[in-house]
Amino acid sequence: MTQQNELARGAAAQVRETGFVFLEAVPMRALLTQFGGLDDWAAFAASWSTLARDEYMADNGRYRRRAHATYVFEATTIRRAAHQAHYQSRDYNSLNGGVERWFEPIAPAIGDGASMRTILGACQHFFGTLAPNVRAWHVETHQFRIEASRDIAGSPTPEGVHRDGVDYVLVLLIARENIASGTTSIHALDGKALGSFTLIQPLDAALLDDGRVYHGVTAVQALDPREAAYRDVLVVTLRRT
């Protein structure tokens, strides 16, 4: 068994046991690159600077930018679906749920590029080992930029500690610039704290069994209010169909 396979098996075992695993950048890169390259990473990461503002924030917040795309996993295939709305019920998102939210689509060059395809391939394999009898998955990908300024903190999870209403979730850090905090906390369904960690380096990641744990992220503050301050993540969710 290769070191990469041992890593994947160990991470999957932790998700089965606790409902989540935090992987730092080096092991996460090793996991990802079993499924392709990251040759376009510079352009992939730079695309977060082009995101449109999220106009659906019920708290009137102006601190979040995002783009969205949907994919289908079937057997060993991955295909991008037609652009569609993102929907969560208020049971899962008390702030912004209950409405169809039409975000700007992830650019084709990014959504079909090497980095995205590698990330999706890793998700298909990793989460597929946790649910081997599932034949098809509805997959949503979200580019998020959370901004902080002199007067306003940016909240990665303004709805609070929550579940997403899916089966599995990947949260992958893309960039972190001039911010403090942004600590992820994981909680059991009864509210018991299970762990916390902060995504610091690009490719730091959290992999979650959304049916078994809640998650939340503390607000980020600008270290130097004169400079741009933001937290960029890619979120990938899988729901069995």
Side-chain angles (χ1 to χ4, degrees), residues 6-19:
E6 290 179 356
L7 168 65
R9 285 169 61 92
Q14 186 170 338
V15 174
R16 290 190 188 96
E17 180 179 354
T18 66

Side-chain angles (χ1 to χ4, degrees), residues 54 56-57 64 66 68 84-88 93 96-97 99-103:
D54 183 344
Y56 290 92
M57 298 298 294
R64 182 154 75 174
R66 67 191 295 178
H68 171 251
Q84 55 197 264
H86 173 58
Y87 180 84
Q88 291 173 294
N93 190 328
N96 296 319
V99 298
E100 290 189 346
R101 290 181 283 167
W102 288 89
F103 300 113

Side-chain angles (χ1 to χ4, degrees), residues 56-185:
Y56 290 92
M57 298 298 294
D59 64 356
N60 297 315
R62 305 289 290 170
Y63 51 82
R64 182 154 75 174
R65 298 178 181 275
R66 67 191 295 178
H68 171 251
T70 302
Y71 296 81
V72 175
F73 292 171
E74 291 177 319
T76 59
T77 65
I78 298 171
R79 62 178 175 84
R80 186 164 178 172
H83 191 54
Q84 55 197 264
H86 173 58
Y87 180 84
Q88 291 173 294
S89 74
R90 289 194 176 274
D91 292 335
Y92 292 105
N93 190 328
S94 59
L95 178 67
N96 296 319
V99 298
E100 290 189 346
R101 290 181 283 167
W102 288 89
F103 300 113
E104 289 295 315
I106 293 176
I110 301 303
D112 297 327
S115 293
M116 183 70 86
R117 288 289 170 174
T118 292
I119 293 163
L120 293 175
C123 287
Q124 182 181 44
H125 179 82
F126 182 85
F127 294 123
T129 64
L130 297 174
N133 295 323
V134 176
R135 299 180 62 87
W137 298 94
H138 174 86
V139 181
E140 296 190 46
T141 56
H142 304 262
Q143 292 180 287
F144 285 101
R145 169 166 286 189
I146 302 300
E147 298 173 323
S149 63
R150 179 187 300 275
D151 302 316
I152 301 175
S155 181
T157 55
E159 64 272 44
V161 174
H162 67 285
R163 290 188 293 153
D164 287 341
V166 296
D167 290 292
Y168 298 106
V169 180
L170 165 71
V171 182
L172 183 72
L173 186 71
I174 306 301
R176 181 184 170 98
E177 183 68 29
N178 185 36
I179 56 169
S181 196
T183 296
T184 299
S185 61

Side-chain angles (χ1 to χ4, degrees), residues 2 4-5 7-8 29-36 118:
T2 67
Q4 289 89 343
N5 286 338
L7 168 65
R29 179 182 288 274
L31 189 153
L32 288 173
T33 53
Q34 294 180 76
F35 302 96
T118 292

